[in-house]
Amino acid sequence: MIKMYEDIIEIAKRRGFFWPSFSIYGGFSGFYDYGPLGVLLKDNIIKIWKENYLQDSTAFLDTPNLTPEPVFKASGHIDRFSDIACECTKCKNKFKLETVLKFNKIEKIPKNLKEGLELVEEFKLKCPVCGTIIKNISDFNLMFKANDMYLRPETAQGIFVNFKLLYNYNKGKLPMVVGQVGKGFRNEISPRQSLIRLKEFNQCEIEAFFDPEHLEFKELYAYSEIKLLPNNGNPFYGNIAEAYDKKIIPNKALAYFVLKTQVILNKIGIDNDKLRFRQHNPDERAHYASDSWDAEAIIDDEWFEIVGIANRTNFDLKNHDRESRESMKINIDNREIIPYVIEPSYGIDRIIISLLTQSVYKRDNGYNVLKLDSRVSPFHLAIFPLMKKEKLVDKAKNFYSELLKNDKYIIYDDVGSIGKRYARQDEIGTPYCITVDFQTLEDDTVTIRCRDSMKQERKKISDLLTNKYGEIIQ
Ligand code: GAP
Protein backbone atom coordinates (compact mmCIF):
# COMPACT_ATOMS: atom_id res chain seq x y z
CA MET A 1 0.00 0.00 0.00
CA ILE A 2 1.24 3.49 -0.85
CA LYS A 3 1.57 5.42 2.41
CA MET A 4 0.02 8.87 2.22
CA TYR A 5 -0.28 9.94 5.87
CA GLU A 6 3.03 11.82 5.97
CA ASP A 7 2.25 13.49 2.62
CA ILE A 8 -1.12 14.66 3.92
CA ILE A 9 0.42 16.17 7.05
CA GLU A 10 2.80 18.12 4.82
CA ILE A 11 0.10 19.20 2.33
CA ALA A 12 -2.26 20.14 5.17
CA LYS A 13 0.27 22.53 6.67
CA ARG A 14 1.54 23.99 3.40
CA ARG A 15 -1.90 24.53 1.87
CA GLY A 16 -3.79 25.58 5.01
CA PHE A 17 -5.95 22.63 6.14
CA PHE A 18 -4.41 22.16 9.61
CA TRP A 19 -1.14 22.51 11.49
CA PRO A 20 0.22 22.11 15.04
CA SER A 21 -1.02 24.87 17.38
CA PHE A 22 1.21 27.38 19.14
CA SER A 23 4.18 26.45 16.95
CA ILE A 24 5.93 29.82 17.44
CA TYR A 25 6.31 28.74 21.09
CA GLY A 26 7.67 25.33 20.16
CA GLY A 27 4.30 23.54 19.77
CA PHE A 28 2.40 21.52 22.36
CA SER A 29 1.46 17.97 21.48
CA GLY A 30 -2.25 17.21 21.29
CA PHE A 31 -3.35 20.58 19.88
CA TYR A 32 -4.01 21.38 16.23
CA ASP A 33 -5.38 24.46 14.47
CA TYR A 34 -7.66 24.25 11.45
CA GLY A 35 -6.50 26.67 8.78
CA PRO A 36 -8.71 28.42 6.18
CA LEU A 37 -9.33 25.29 4.07
CA GLY A 38 -9.71 23.00 7.09
CA VAL A 39 -12.45 25.21 8.52
CA LEU A 40 -14.46 24.94 5.29
CA LEU A 41 -13.90 21.18 5.04
CA LYS A 42 -14.90 20.64 8.68
CA ASP A 43 -18.05 22.77 8.28
CA ASN A 44 -19.05 20.76 5.19
CA ILE A 45 -18.61 17.45 7.01
CA ILE A 46 -20.66 18.66 9.96
CA LYS A 47 -23.34 19.91 7.54
CA ILE A 48 -23.65 16.44 5.96
CA TRP A 49 -23.89 14.88 9.43
CA LYS A 50 -26.52 17.40 10.55
CA GLU A 51 -28.65 17.20 7.41
CA ASN A 52 -28.70 13.41 7.56
CA TYR A 53 -29.82 13.43 11.18
CA LEU A 54 -32.46 16.09 10.47
CA GLN A 55 -34.06 13.36 8.35
CA ASP A 56 -34.57 11.51 11.65
CA SER A 57 -36.24 14.58 13.21
CA THR A 58 -33.20 15.19 15.38
CA ALA A 59 -33.31 18.13 17.81
CA PHE A 60 -29.94 19.84 18.28
CA LEU A 61 -28.56 21.30 21.45
CA ASP A 62 -25.61 23.48 22.45
CA THR A 63 -24.41 23.16 26.07
CA PRO A 64 -21.32 24.41 27.97
CA ASN A 65 -17.84 22.92 27.74
CA LEU A 66 -17.22 23.57 31.43
CA THR A 67 -19.27 21.21 33.53
CA PRO A 68 -19.74 21.09 37.31
CA GLU A 69 -18.28 18.14 39.23
CA PRO A 70 -21.59 16.51 40.30
CA VAL A 71 -22.43 15.79 36.63
CA PHE A 72 -19.28 13.71 36.13
CA LYS A 73 -19.56 12.14 39.58
CA ALA A 74 -22.97 10.84 38.49
CA SER A 75 -21.86 9.82 35.00
CA GLY A 76 -18.97 7.76 36.38
CA HIS A 77 -16.29 9.84 34.65
CA ILE A 78 -14.62 10.97 37.89
CA ASP A 79 -14.23 7.43 39.17
CA ARG A 80 -13.85 5.45 35.96
CA PHE A 81 -12.70 7.59 33.05
CA SER A 82 -9.02 6.81 33.41
CA ASP A 83 -6.12 5.03 31.75
CA ILE A 84 -3.22 3.27 33.41
CA ALA A 85 -0.20 5.51 32.83
CA CYS A 86 3.50 4.78 33.11
CA GLU A 87 6.43 7.13 33.22
CA CYS A 88 9.93 6.01 32.32
CA THR A 89 12.31 6.81 35.16
CA LYS A 90 15.16 7.45 32.69
CA CYS A 91 13.81 9.28 29.61
CA LYS A 92 10.72 10.68 31.44
CA ASN A 93 8.40 9.80 28.53
CA LYS A 94 4.80 9.03 29.53
CA PHE A 95 2.81 6.18 27.96
CA LYS A 96 -0.46 4.36 28.33
CA LEU A 97 0.31 0.96 29.83
CA GLU A 98 -1.58 -0.52 26.85
CA THR A 99 0.99 1.03 24.48
CA VAL A 100 3.92 -0.35 26.48
CA LEU A 101 2.31 -3.82 26.56
CA LYS A 102 1.80 -3.70 22.79
CA PHE A 103 5.42 -2.59 22.26
CA ASN A 104 6.59 -5.52 24.41
CA LYS A 105 4.28 -7.86 22.41
CA ILE A 106 2.10 -8.74 25.42
CA GLU A 107 -1.49 -9.15 24.29
CA LYS A 108 -3.19 -8.74 27.70
CA ILE A 109 -5.30 -5.71 28.66
CA PRO A 110 -5.35 -5.09 32.43
CA LYS A 111 -8.81 -4.38 33.88
CA ASN A 112 -7.46 -2.32 36.77
CA LEU A 113 -4.30 -0.97 38.38
CA LYS A 114 -3.77 -4.18 40.39
CA GLU A 115 -3.74 -6.29 37.21
CA GLY A 116 -1.49 -3.68 35.58
CA LEU A 117 1.04 -3.93 38.45
CA GLU A 118 1.04 -7.72 38.13
CA LEU A 119 1.84 -7.49 34.40
CA VAL A 120 4.64 -4.95 35.02
CA GLU A 121 6.15 -7.32 37.62
CA GLU A 122 5.76 -10.45 35.51
CA PHE A 123 7.03 -9.24 32.14
CA LYS A 124 9.69 -6.64 33.06
CA LEU A 125 8.35 -4.30 30.40
CA LYS A 126 10.77 -2.11 28.47
CA CYS A 127 10.26 1.60 27.74
CA PRO A 128 9.39 1.94 24.00
CA VAL A 129 11.79 4.89 23.68
CA CYS A 130 14.93 4.05 25.72
CA GLY A 131 14.47 0.42 26.74
CA THR A 132 14.68 1.05 30.51
CA ILE A 133 12.54 -1.33 32.60
CA ILE A 134 9.22 0.35 33.47
CA LYS A 135 8.52 0.59 37.20
CA ASN A 136 6.06 3.40 37.92
CA ILE A 137 2.44 3.01 36.90
CA SER A 138 -0.64 4.83 38.16
CA ASP A 139 -4.32 5.47 37.43
CA PHE A 140 -4.61 8.66 35.41
CA ASN A 141 -7.99 10.40 35.07
CA LEU A 142 -8.37 11.80 31.56
CA MET A 143 -10.43 14.87 32.43
CA PHE A 144 -9.03 18.39 32.69
CA LYS A 145 -9.99 20.09 35.94
CA ALA A 146 -10.49 23.85 36.22
CA ASN A 147 -11.21 24.84 39.86
CA ASP A 148 -14.45 23.06 40.76
CA MET A 149 -15.41 22.46 37.12
CA TYR A 150 -14.28 19.95 34.49
CA LEU A 151 -13.85 20.37 30.76
CA ARG A 152 -16.21 17.80 29.28
CA PRO A 153 -14.61 14.67 27.82
CA GLU A 154 -17.73 14.08 25.68
CA THR A 155 -20.63 16.33 24.66
CA ALA A 156 -23.18 13.67 25.67
CA GLN A 157 -23.70 14.66 29.31
CA GLY A 158 -25.04 18.07 28.24
CA ILE A 159 -27.84 16.16 26.51
CA PHE A 160 -28.54 13.71 29.37
CA VAL A 161 -28.89 16.40 32.04
CA ASN A 162 -31.48 18.14 29.83
CA PHE A 163 -33.47 14.98 29.17
CA LYS A 164 -36.72 16.15 30.79
CA LEU A 165 -36.73 19.55 29.00
CA LEU A 166 -36.01 17.83 25.70
CA TYR A 167 -38.71 15.23 26.26
CA ASN A 168 -41.15 18.05 26.88
CA TYR A 169 -39.93 19.79 23.69
CA ASN A 170 -40.52 16.50 21.85
CA LYS A 171 -44.14 16.56 23.08
CA GLY A 172 -43.65 13.60 25.38
CA LYS A 173 -42.74 11.14 22.63
CA LEU A 174 -40.16 8.41 22.20
CA PRO A 175 -38.04 7.61 20.30
CA MET A 176 -36.39 10.99 20.59
CA VAL A 177 -33.13 11.80 18.81
CA VAL A 178 -30.94 14.64 20.09
CA GLY A 179 -27.61 15.81 18.68
CA GLN A 180 -24.82 18.13 19.71
CA VAL A 181 -21.77 19.45 17.87
CA GLY A 182 -18.96 20.58 20.14
CA LYS A 183 -15.55 20.24 21.64
CA GLY A 184 -14.42 17.36 23.83
CA PHE A 185 -11.33 17.58 26.06
CA ARG A 186 -9.17 14.70 27.24
CA ASN A 187 -5.84 14.86 29.01
CA GLU A 188 -4.47 12.11 26.78
CA ILE A 189 -1.31 10.55 28.21
CA SER A 190 0.41 10.31 24.85
CA PRO A 191 -1.28 12.54 22.27
CA ARG A 192 -0.02 11.53 18.84
CA GLN A 193 -0.41 11.40 15.11
CA SER A 194 -1.79 14.84 14.39
CA LEU A 195 -5.60 14.81 14.50
CA ILE A 196 -5.91 11.22 15.73
CA ARG A 197 -5.29 11.72 19.43
CA LEU A 198 -5.86 15.31 20.50
CA LYS A 199 -6.35 16.90 23.89
CA GLU A 200 -9.09 19.13 22.44
CA PHE A 201 -11.16 17.60 19.65
CA ASN A 202 -14.41 17.98 17.70
CA GLN A 203 -17.33 15.65 18.29
CA CYS A 204 -20.74 15.31 16.70
CA GLU A 205 -22.80 13.18 19.04
CA ILE A 206 -26.28 11.72 18.83
CA GLU A 207 -28.19 10.41 21.81
CA ALA A 208 -31.29 8.49 20.70
CA PHE A 209 -33.72 7.79 23.56
CA PHE A 210 -35.92 4.69 23.47
CA ASP A 211 -38.51 2.84 25.47
CA PRO A 212 -36.43 -0.21 26.55
CA GLU A 213 -39.32 -2.44 25.46
CA HIS A 214 -39.23 -0.95 21.94
CA LEU A 215 -35.56 -0.74 21.01
CA GLU A 216 -36.27 -0.19 17.38
CA PHE A 217 -36.26 2.81 15.11
CA LYS A 218 -36.92 2.99 11.38
CA GLU A 219 -36.85 -0.09 9.17
CA LEU A 220 -33.42 -1.38 8.22
CA TYR A 221 -33.25 -0.51 4.55
CA ALA A 222 -30.90 -2.10 2.04
CA TYR A 223 -28.09 0.34 1.44
CA SER A 224 -24.93 -1.47 0.54
CA GLU A 225 -22.91 -4.31 1.95
CA ILE A 226 -21.50 -3.69 5.39
CA LYS A 227 -18.36 -5.20 6.88
CA LEU A 228 -18.84 -6.28 10.50
CA LEU A 229 -16.23 -7.76 12.84
CA PRO A 230 -18.19 -9.18 15.77
CA ASN A 231 -16.23 -10.10 18.89
CA ASN A 232 -16.94 -13.82 18.29
CA GLY A 233 -14.22 -13.67 15.63
CA ASN A 234 -16.48 -14.51 12.65
CA PRO A 235 -16.49 -11.60 10.18
CA PHE A 236 -19.77 -10.80 8.42
CA TYR A 237 -20.08 -9.15 5.03
CA GLY A 238 -23.60 -8.48 3.83
CA ASN A 239 -26.80 -6.55 4.40
CA ILE A 240 -27.48 -4.90 7.78
CA ALA A 241 -31.00 -6.42 7.98
CA GLU A 242 -29.41 -9.86 7.60
CA ALA A 243 -26.89 -8.99 10.34
CA TYR A 244 -29.82 -8.11 12.60
CA ASP A 245 -31.75 -11.28 11.68
CA LYS A 246 -28.67 -13.37 12.44
CA LYS A 247 -28.37 -11.54 15.79
CA ILE A 248 -24.89 -10.30 14.95
CA ILE A 249 -26.22 -6.91 16.02
CA PRO A 250 -29.13 -8.09 18.17
CA ASN A 251 -30.61 -4.65 18.76
CA LYS A 252 -32.55 -3.09 15.87
CA ALA A 253 -31.95 0.51 16.95
CA LEU A 254 -28.21 -0.11 17.29
CA ALA A 255 -28.21 -1.79 13.85
CA TYR A 256 -30.03 1.24 12.40
CA PHE A 257 -27.39 3.66 13.70
CA VAL A 258 -24.54 1.47 12.46
CA LEU A 259 -26.15 1.53 9.01
CA LYS A 260 -26.75 5.28 9.24
CA THR A 261 -23.10 5.82 10.17
CA GLN A 262 -22.00 3.97 7.04
CA VAL A 263 -24.39 6.06 4.91
CA ILE A 264 -23.05 9.33 6.36
CA LEU A 265 -19.38 8.31 6.11
CA ASN A 266 -19.93 7.28 2.47
CA LYS A 267 -21.52 10.68 1.72
CA ILE A 268 -18.52 12.38 3.29
CA GLY A 269 -16.27 10.31 1.00
CA ILE A 270 -15.01 7.39 3.14
CA ASP A 271 -15.17 4.33 0.86
CA ASN A 272 -16.58 1.03 2.08
CA ASP A 273 -13.42 -0.85 1.17
CA LYS A 274 -11.61 1.37 3.71
CA LEU A 275 -14.27 1.09 6.38
CA ARG A 276 -15.36 -1.61 8.81
CA PHE A 277 -17.41 -1.90 11.99
CA ARG A 278 -15.73 -3.70 14.88
CA GLN A 279 -17.50 -4.82 18.03
CA HIS A 280 -15.71 -4.16 21.32
CA ASN A 281 -14.67 -7.07 23.48
CA PRO A 282 -16.35 -6.88 26.90
CA ASP A 283 -13.10 -5.76 28.59
CA GLU A 284 -12.72 -2.92 26.08
CA ARG A 285 -16.11 -1.28 26.56
CA ALA A 286 -16.54 2.11 28.21
CA HIS A 287 -17.98 1.96 31.73
CA TYR A 288 -21.43 3.01 30.48
CA ALA A 289 -21.83 0.64 27.51
CA SER A 290 -23.48 -2.77 27.25
CA ASP A 291 -22.48 -3.16 23.58
CA SER A 292 -20.25 -1.02 21.35
CA TRP A 293 -19.30 -1.00 17.70
CA ASP A 294 -16.55 1.19 16.29
CA ALA A 295 -16.59 2.47 12.74
CA GLU A 296 -12.93 2.04 11.84
CA ALA A 297 -11.24 3.62 8.83
CA ILE A 298 -7.90 2.65 7.43
CA ILE A 299 -5.10 5.20 7.34
CA ASP A 300 -2.21 3.76 5.30
CA ASP A 301 -2.27 0.23 6.74
CA GLU A 302 -3.60 0.87 10.24
CA TRP A 303 -7.26 0.84 11.35
CA PHE A 304 -8.50 3.68 13.58
CA GLU A 305 -11.78 4.24 15.36
CA ILE A 306 -13.53 7.25 13.84
CA VAL A 307 -17.08 6.79 15.21
CA GLY A 308 -18.17 4.91 18.32
CA ILE A 309 -21.71 3.50 18.37
CA ALA A 310 -22.78 2.34 21.82
CA ASN A 311 -25.78 1.00 23.64
CA ARG A 312 -25.56 3.11 26.83
CA THR A 313 -28.72 1.51 28.27
CA ASN A 314 -30.20 3.87 30.89
CA PHE A 315 -26.86 4.06 32.71
CA ASP A 316 -26.52 7.85 32.48
CA LEU A 317 -30.15 8.84 33.05
CA LYS A 318 -30.47 6.43 35.98
CA ASN A 319 -27.39 7.91 37.63
CA HIS A 320 -28.52 11.52 37.07
CA ASP A 321 -31.95 10.58 38.41
CA ARG A 322 -30.32 9.30 41.62
CA GLU A 323 -27.63 11.96 42.07
CA SER A 324 -29.57 15.09 41.07
CA ARG A 325 -32.78 13.94 42.75
CA GLU A 326 -34.59 15.24 39.65
CA SER A 327 -36.67 12.45 38.21
CA MET A 328 -35.63 11.13 34.80
CA LYS A 329 -38.58 8.75 34.81
CA ILE A 330 -41.39 9.00 32.32
CA ASN A 331 -44.69 7.24 32.07
CA ILE A 332 -45.55 5.24 28.97
CA ASP A 333 -48.76 3.17 28.86
CA ASN A 334 -48.91 3.13 32.65
CA ARG A 335 -45.30 1.93 32.87
CA GLU A 336 -42.74 4.05 34.66
CA ILE A 337 -39.46 3.84 32.72
CA ILE A 338 -36.07 5.48 32.39
CA PRO A 339 -35.31 5.47 28.64
CA TYR A 340 -32.47 3.56 27.03
CA VAL A 341 -29.95 5.36 24.85
CA ILE A 342 -28.18 4.42 21.62
CA GLU A 343 -25.28 6.74 20.92
CA PRO A 344 -23.41 7.18 17.62
CA SER A 345 -20.50 9.48 18.51
CA TYR A 346 -18.56 10.92 15.56
CA GLY A 347 -15.00 12.20 15.95
CA ILE A 348 -14.73 14.85 13.25
CA ASP A 349 -10.94 15.23 13.42
CA ARG A 350 -10.36 11.53 12.82
CA ILE A 351 -12.91 11.56 9.98
CA ILE A 352 -10.97 14.43 8.41
CA ILE A 353 -7.54 12.77 8.61
CA SER A 354 -8.97 9.46 7.30
CA LEU A 355 -10.78 11.20 4.45
CA LEU A 356 -7.73 13.22 3.38
CA THR A 357 -5.37 10.24 3.56
CA GLN A 358 -7.78 8.07 1.57
CA SER A 359 -8.45 10.79 -1.02
CA VAL A 360 -4.96 11.88 -2.00
CA TYR A 361 -3.06 10.32 -4.90
CA LYS A 362 -0.17 11.24 -7.16
CA ARG A 363 -0.45 11.86 -10.89
CA ASP A 364 2.24 10.43 -13.18
CA ASN A 365 4.01 13.80 -13.05
CA GLY A 366 4.30 13.47 -9.25
CA TYR A 367 1.74 16.18 -8.49
CA ASN A 368 -0.76 15.49 -5.70
CA VAL A 369 -4.52 15.37 -6.29
CA LEU A 370 -7.07 15.42 -3.50
CA LYS A 371 -10.10 13.59 -4.85
CA LEU A 372 -12.74 15.15 -2.60
CA ASP A 373 -16.43 15.13 -3.44
CA SER A 374 -17.77 18.63 -4.05
CA ARG A 375 -20.08 18.13 -1.04
CA VAL A 376 -17.02 18.43 1.22
CA SER A 377 -14.30 20.15 -0.82
CA PRO A 378 -13.47 23.62 0.56
CA PHE A 379 -14.25 25.14 -2.85
CA HIS A 380 -16.50 23.91 -5.66
CA LEU A 381 -14.83 25.94 -8.34
CA ALA A 382 -11.78 28.12 -9.02
CA ILE A 383 -11.73 30.92 -11.53
CA PHE A 384 -8.59 32.29 -13.19
CA PRO A 385 -7.74 34.95 -15.73
CA LEU A 386 -5.25 33.39 -18.18
CA MET A 387 -2.83 36.24 -17.54
CA LYS A 388 -2.69 39.24 -15.26
CA LYS A 389 -3.75 41.62 -18.08
CA GLU A 390 -6.25 44.28 -17.09
CA LYS A 391 -8.99 43.25 -19.55
CA LEU A 392 -8.73 39.54 -18.60
CA VAL A 393 -8.64 40.32 -14.87
CA ASP A 394 -11.70 42.61 -15.15
CA LYS A 395 -13.63 40.02 -17.14
CA ALA A 396 -12.68 37.21 -14.73
CA LYS A 397 -13.61 39.30 -11.68
CA ASN A 398 -16.97 40.24 -13.21
CA PHE A 399 -17.67 36.62 -13.98
CA TYR A 400 -16.56 35.68 -10.44
CA SER A 401 -19.08 38.16 -8.95
CA GLU A 402 -21.84 36.67 -11.12
CA LEU A 403 -20.94 33.12 -10.10
CA LEU A 404 -20.96 34.07 -6.41
CA LYS A 405 -24.67 34.85 -6.68
CA ASN A 406 -25.38 31.10 -7.00
CA ASP A 407 -22.47 29.59 -5.13
CA LYS A 408 -20.30 31.15 -2.42
CA TYR A 409 -17.69 28.37 -2.46
CA ILE A 410 -15.64 29.74 -5.34
CA ILE A 411 -12.05 30.93 -5.24
CA TYR A 412 -10.45 33.51 -7.52
CA ASP A 413 -6.75 32.99 -8.26
CA ASP A 414 -4.41 34.98 -10.50
CA VAL A 415 -1.05 34.05 -8.92
CA GLY A 416 1.52 32.08 -10.98
CA SER A 417 1.23 30.21 -14.27
CA ILE A 418 -2.02 28.46 -15.27
CA GLY A 419 -0.28 25.10 -14.76
CA LYS A 420 0.69 26.06 -11.20
CA ARG A 421 -2.83 27.24 -10.49
CA TYR A 422 -4.36 23.96 -11.72
CA ALA A 423 -1.86 22.05 -9.58
CA ARG A 424 -2.73 24.18 -6.53
CA GLN A 425 -6.45 23.56 -6.95
CA ASP A 426 -5.94 19.83 -7.58
CA GLU A 427 -3.98 19.59 -4.35
CA ILE A 428 -6.71 21.27 -2.28
CA GLY A 429 -9.48 19.20 -3.86
CA THR A 430 -11.28 21.81 -6.01
CA PRO A 431 -13.24 19.72 -8.54
CA TYR A 432 -13.47 22.32 -11.37
CA CYS A 433 -11.48 25.28 -12.66
CA ILE A 434 -12.55 27.94 -15.15
CA THR A 435 -10.14 30.02 -17.20
CA VAL A 436 -10.98 33.36 -18.75
CA ASP A 437 -8.82 33.92 -21.88
CA PHE A 438 -8.64 36.22 -24.90
CA GLN A 439 -11.45 34.37 -26.68
CA THR A 440 -13.69 35.13 -23.69
CA LEU A 441 -13.37 38.83 -24.51
CA GLU A 442 -14.77 38.13 -27.96
CA ASP A 443 -17.51 35.53 -27.45
CA ASP A 444 -18.17 35.18 -23.69
CA THR A 445 -16.94 31.59 -23.61
CA VAL A 446 -14.45 30.12 -21.11
CA THR A 447 -12.72 26.78 -20.60
CA ILE A 448 -13.87 24.58 -17.75
CA ARG A 449 -11.53 21.84 -16.56
CA CYS A 450 -12.43 18.80 -14.51
CA ARG A 451 -9.94 17.82 -11.77
CA ASP A 452 -10.50 14.07 -12.10
CA SER A 453 -10.61 13.58 -15.87
CA MET A 454 -8.43 16.65 -16.60
CA LYS A 455 -10.75 17.15 -19.58
CA GLN A 456 -11.23 20.77 -20.72
CA GLU A 457 -14.24 22.08 -22.62
CA ARG A 458 -15.25 25.45 -23.96
CA LYS A 459 -18.58 26.67 -22.61
CA LYS A 460 -20.66 29.83 -22.67
CA ILE A 461 -20.41 31.90 -19.48
CA SER A 462 -24.21 32.00 -19.31
CA ASP A 463 -24.31 28.16 -19.14
CA LEU A 464 -22.00 28.13 -16.12
CA LEU A 465 -24.05 30.36 -13.83
CA THR A 466 -25.17 27.37 -11.83
CA ASN A 467 -23.59 25.45 -8.98
CA LYS A 468 -23.97 22.13 -10.81
CA TYR A 469 -20.63 22.17 -12.65
CA GLY A 470 -20.49 18.36 -12.64
CA GLU A 471 -23.47 18.30 -15.01
CA ILE A 472 -21.53 20.45 -17.45
CA ILE A 473 -18.26 18.55 -17.50
CA GLN A 474 -17.24 15.16 -16.10
N1 GAP B 1 -19.71 9.89 24.07
C1 GAP B 1 -19.02 8.72 23.68
C2 GAP B 1 -17.63 8.95 23.33
O1 GAP B 1 -17.08 10.01 23.55
P1 GAP B 1 -15.55 7.76 22.33
O2 GAP B 1 -15.47 6.48 21.57
O3 GAP B 1 -14.66 7.95 23.50
O4 GAP B 1 -17.07 7.89 22.74
C3 GAP B 1 -16.09 9.11 20.17
O5 GAP B 1 -15.33 8.98 21.34
C4 GAP B 1 -15.23 9.56 19.03
O6 GAP B 1 -14.53 10.76 19.39
C5 GAP B 1 -14.14 8.56 18.68
O7 GAP B 1 -14.62 7.60 17.76
C6 GAP B 1 -13.07 9.45 18.07
O8 GAP B 1 -13.32 9.65 16.68
C7 GAP B 1 -13.26 10.77 18.78
N2 GAP B 1 -12.21 10.93 19.81
C8 GAP B 1 -12.18 10.44 21.06
N3 GAP B 1 -11.05 10.81 21.68
C9 GAP B 1 -10.35 11.56 20.82
C10 GAP B 1 -9.08 12.24 20.88
N4 GAP B 1 -8.34 12.23 21.97
N5 GAP B 1 -8.67 12.91 19.77
C11 GAP B 1 -9.42 12.94 18.64
N6 GAP B 1 -10.61 12.32 18.55
C12 GAP B 1 -11.07 11.64 19.61
Side-chain angles (χ1 to χ4, degrees), residues 77 81 153-156 186 188 194-203 205 207 280 286 288 294-295 305-310 312 343 345-351:
H77 284 84
F81 194 61
E154 57 171 7
T155 70
R186 295 184 191 177
E188 297 286 357
S194 67
L195 306 183
I196 293 172
R197 197 168 297 286
L198 293 163
K199 291 194 174 187
E200 178 174 337
F201 54 97
N202 293 278
Q203 283 191 320
E205 295 202 288
E207 311 301 325
H280 281 198
Y288 47 73
D294 284 346
E305 172 197 348
I306 57 173
V307 182
I309 307 141
R312 287 182 84 129
E343 175 196 65
S345 172
Y346 296 67
I348 298 304
D349 313 280
R350 290 192 191 171
I351 292 176

Side-chain angles (χ1 to χ4, degrees), residues 221-228 236-243 258-259 262-263 266 271-273 275-277:
Y221 52 95
Y223 175 62
S224 66
E225 305 281 271
I226 197 157
K227 203 185 295 163
L228 300 177
F236 168 89
Y237 189 64
N239 187 294
I240 193 86
E242 205 185 321
V258 166
L259 169 69
Q262 173 156 301
V263 173
N266 288 169
D271 284 340
N272 282 345
D273 59 350
L275 180 67
R276 68 183 192 189
F277 290 82

Side-chain angles (χ1 to χ4, degrees), residues 144-282:
F144 284 104
K145 195 162 195 260
N147 297 327
D148 53 350
M149 307 287 271
Y150 285 89
L151 280 169
R152 61 184 182 191
E154 57 171 7
T155 70
Q157 297 303 325
I159 298 178
F160 295 136
V161 296
N162 281 302
F163 168 68
K164 271 296 178 75
L165 289 168
L166 290 159
Y167 185 62
N168 191 33
Y169 168 83
N170 206 40
K171 304 174 204 77
K173 281 194 206 142
L174 292 185
M176 171 173 82
V177 186
V178 183
Q180 172 153 224
V181 179
K183 297 273 188 182
F185 304 83
R186 295 184 191 177
N187 195 3
E188 297 286 357
I189 298 163
S190 47
R192 63 182 178 125
Q193 283 171 297
S194 67
L195 306 183
I196 293 172
R197 197 168 297 286
L198 293 163
K199 291 194 174 187
E200 178 174 337
F201 54 97
N202 293 278
Q203 283 191 320
C204 284
E205 295 202 288
I206 292 289
E207 311 301 325
F209 297 86
F210 290 90
D211 177 343
E213 289 189 13
H214 298 285
L215 277 171
E216 56 207 40
F217 197 48
K218 297 182 178 173
E219 276 313 303
L220 298 172
Y221 52 95
Y223 175 62
S224 66
E225 305 281 271
I226 197 157
K227 203 185 295 163
L228 300 177
L229 293 184
N231 60 21
N232 63 12
N234 302 319
F236 168 89
Y237 189 64
N239 187 294
I240 193 86
E242 205 185 321
Y244 170 66
D245 290 341
K246 290 186 169 162
K247 298 198 175 3
I248 294 169
I249 304 183
N251 172 325
K252 203 167 179 182
L254 189 61
Y256 176 84
F257 286 104
V258 166
L259 169 69
K260 179 124 196 151
T261 299
Q262 173 156 301
V263 173
I264 292 177
L265 292 174
N266 288 169
K267 284 188 183 166
I268 288 168
I270 305 276
D271 284 340
N272 282 345
D273 59 350
K274 291 170 183 153
L275 180 67
R276 68 183 192 189
F277 290 82
R278 187 182 68 80
Q279 187 180 30
H280 281 198
N281 291 316

